Amino acid sequence: QVQLVESGGGLVQAGGSLRLSCAASLRTSSRYAMGWFRQAPGKEREFVAAISWGGGSISYAEFVKGRFTISRDNGVNMVYLRMNYLKPEDTAIYYCAAAPGLSVVIPIDKYDYWGQGTQVTVSS
C-alpha cells in the first residue's frame, strides 16, 4: 500500500519561508518520481515541482523558479519542498504525489498516488 503524508504547512507572512515534507511509504520493489502540486480555492490543481527517482532531474513551474526547491532523500523515504520569498498568491493546499518510474513527471494524470495535502497561507 502506498501512502503519502504531507506536513510543514502553515501561516507565514509575504517574503517568508516554509519547508514542506512528504513522508512516503512506497513499494520497495518499485521506483517513483515525486511531485508537488497545489490547489487554491476555486482553481484547478496545478503542477509546482517534480523530481526524478534518483534526484538528478528536476522540473519547476515558471511561477516558482528561483523561489522553491524540491529535493528527496530515498534513504528515509522523504520528499521536500523548500519555499522562499512566499507571495500571497502561493496560498493553496499543497499536495505530494508519486508517479511510477524513474524520470521526472509533470502531467498530473501520470501521478497515481496522492497525499491529503497541507495548507499554506501567505498573508500580505
Side-chain angles (χ1 to χ4, degrees), residues 94-117:
Y94 283 71
Y95 297 90
C96 174
L102 300 176
S103 301
V104 70
V105 176
I106 295 175
I108 192 170
D109 60 353
K110 301 298 184 185
Y111 284 84
D112 290 349
Y113 306 103
W114 293 83
Q116 294 289 89

Side-chain angles (χ1 to χ4, degrees), residues 6 11 31-32 47 54-55 64-65 83 97-98 102 110 122:
E6 303 94 336
L11 173 63
R31 301 293 182 259
Y32 296 87
F47 169 77
V64 302
K65 281 185 179 179
M83 305 186 296
L102 300 176
K110 301 298 184 185
V122 185

Side-chain angles (χ1 to χ4, degrees), residues 2 5 10 16-17 28 48-49 63 66 69 77 79 87 90 108 110 122:
V2 176
V5 180
S17 299
T28 56
V48 174
F63 53 78
T69 303
N77 296 323
V79 182
K87 305 174 182 180
D90 293 318
I108 192 170
K110 301 298 184 185
V122 185

